[in-house]
Amino acid sequence: MKISVKPNLLKYLALGAGALGLLLRWLLYATGTDDQGMLLRSHPSQYLLWLLSAAALAGAYLLTRSITGPERYDDCFHTSALSGVGCLLAAAGILITTISNMSDPPDSVTLIMWILGYGAAAALAVAGFCRLAGMKPSFLFYVVLSAYFAVRMVCQYRQWSSDPQLQDYCYQLLACVALMITAYHHAAFGTELGSHKSLWFFSLAAVFLCCLCLAGPGDQLFYLGSGIWAFTGLSSLTPRARRQRPDLNLEESAPEEE
């Protein structure tokens, strides 16, 4: 049996699942630690989080398989104040996180992450003004953003790999993957090669995962801004209405013969 959910409802289902996951993760860190600060493996929130995550991601994948939409960029991304503000909030989150995480001296990977962090913040700011003004941003802006998410993931994983508790970083890692691929699909739309179902799936996955990252260790401001960007940056699935030109009646306009 084929299950169909309206795309607008699907957005809020993903957001609701993320809010529930955030509550469960907050309860885990608030009530599920031992005397040494280690998470209890037998805590109910652990099992509920894994079940919710599997159900939310699998559901998002299945329910976005039938999504289709227009091909023209102007039809896919209309002028939107909400999307523009979402880009600006994500830019602010990335910029503040980059500045606050700067250390001296950095290694080569960290230095690249800093440079890309400033570039990604600038790219998102420009993309935000383009959405506000109804213009098409260059796909290169989203290429820079995707590269930033990728390098940040690699840089952060070097710290996460020494953490024995998977809950401390698994959702942050998955959120970076979803954000990276979301930015890639935005770049694909900039070259008229975008896929609505892929953009919707990875965007909704990013929304869900970023919500969970707001509890526990990590850069909450980064995930908050990035999650808002993913939620507000979804493509439109209905083409924009265009004014129809009136048909010319050449017979009435032709001069009468004497």
Side-chain angles (χ1 to χ4, degrees):
M1 182 176 65
K2 184 177 179 180
I3 302 175
S4 178
V5 176
K6 292 183 179 180
N8 284 334
L9 177 59
L10 187 56
K11 291 168 52 177
Y12 294 103
L13 286 175
L15 187 61
L20 178 58
L22 172 59
L23 176 61
L24 289 174
R25 201 159 187 250
W26 177 81
L27 287 173
L28 175 63
Y29 280 95
T31 64
T33 56
D34 58 19
D35 296 337
Q36 298 179 345
M38 301 295 288
L39 294 173
L40 300 173
R41 294 184 179 180
S42 59
H43 196 276
S45 293
Q46 286 261 28
Y47 302 109
L48 293 175
L49 270 171
W50 296 129
L51 290 173
L52 175 65
S53 301
L57 295 176
Y61 178 80
L62 293 174
L63 294 174
T64 54
R65 292 305 86 195
S66 60
I67 286 180
T68 58
E71 297 182 359
R72 287 170 52 92
Y73 185 90
D74 292 343
D75 290 332
C76 300
F77 298 96
H78 306 164
T79 301
S80 172
L82 186 63
S83 297
V85 171
C87 289
L88 296 178
L89 290 176
I94 291 174
L95 181 61
I96 294 173
T97 301
T98 300
I99 295 173
S100 63
N101 288 343
M102 292 183 70
S103 60
D104 186 30
D107 56 34
S108 57
V109 178
T110 304
L111 181 60
I112 294 173
M113 183 184 69
W114 291 351
I115 295 172
L116 286 173
Y118 288 114
L124 272 173
V126 175
F129 285 116
C130 287
R131 290 303 304 270
L132 291 170
M135 298 186 297
K136 177 181 178 180
S138 171
F139 76 96
L140 294 175
F141 293 139
Y142 293 110
V143 171
V144 172
L145 182 60
S146 183
Y148 166 70
F149 287 133
V151 174
R152 175 184 171 82
M153 177 175 57
V154 173
C155 190
Q156 293 287 89
Y157 185 74
R158 296 184 303 172
Q159 302 174 13
W160 294 333
S161 60
S162 61
D163 190 336
Q165 300 188 123
L166 186 62
Q167 276 283 353
D168 284 345
Y169 64 89
C170 64
Y171 293 113
Q172 288 87 337
L173 174 63
L174 292 174
C176 284
V177 173
L179 290 167
M180 176 187 67
I181 303 178
T182 298
Y184 165 80
H185 283 291
H186 275 285
F189 270 101
T191 60
E192 308 294 341
L193 297 174
S195 168
H196 288 278
K197 61 183 179 182
S198 296
L199 177 63
W200 272 71
F201 167 66
F202 286 106
S203 295
L204 295 179
V207 170
F208 171 76
L209 293 166
C210 284
C211 284
L212 270 62
C213 294
L214 298 181
D219 299 311
Q220 282 84 6
L221 190 59
F222 165 81
Y223 293 107
L224 177 62
S226 299
I228 293 173
W229 166 72
F231 183 79
T232 59
L234 289 163
S235 59
S236 174
L237 304 179
T238 55
R240 185 165 51 181
R242 291 180 172 82
R243 183 180 299 177
Q244 297 290 334
R245 294 183 178 180
D247 296 332
L248 296 178
N249 193 333
L250 299 179
E251 294 181 358
E252 293 183 359
S253 61
E256 296 182 358
E257 296 182 359
E258 296 183 357

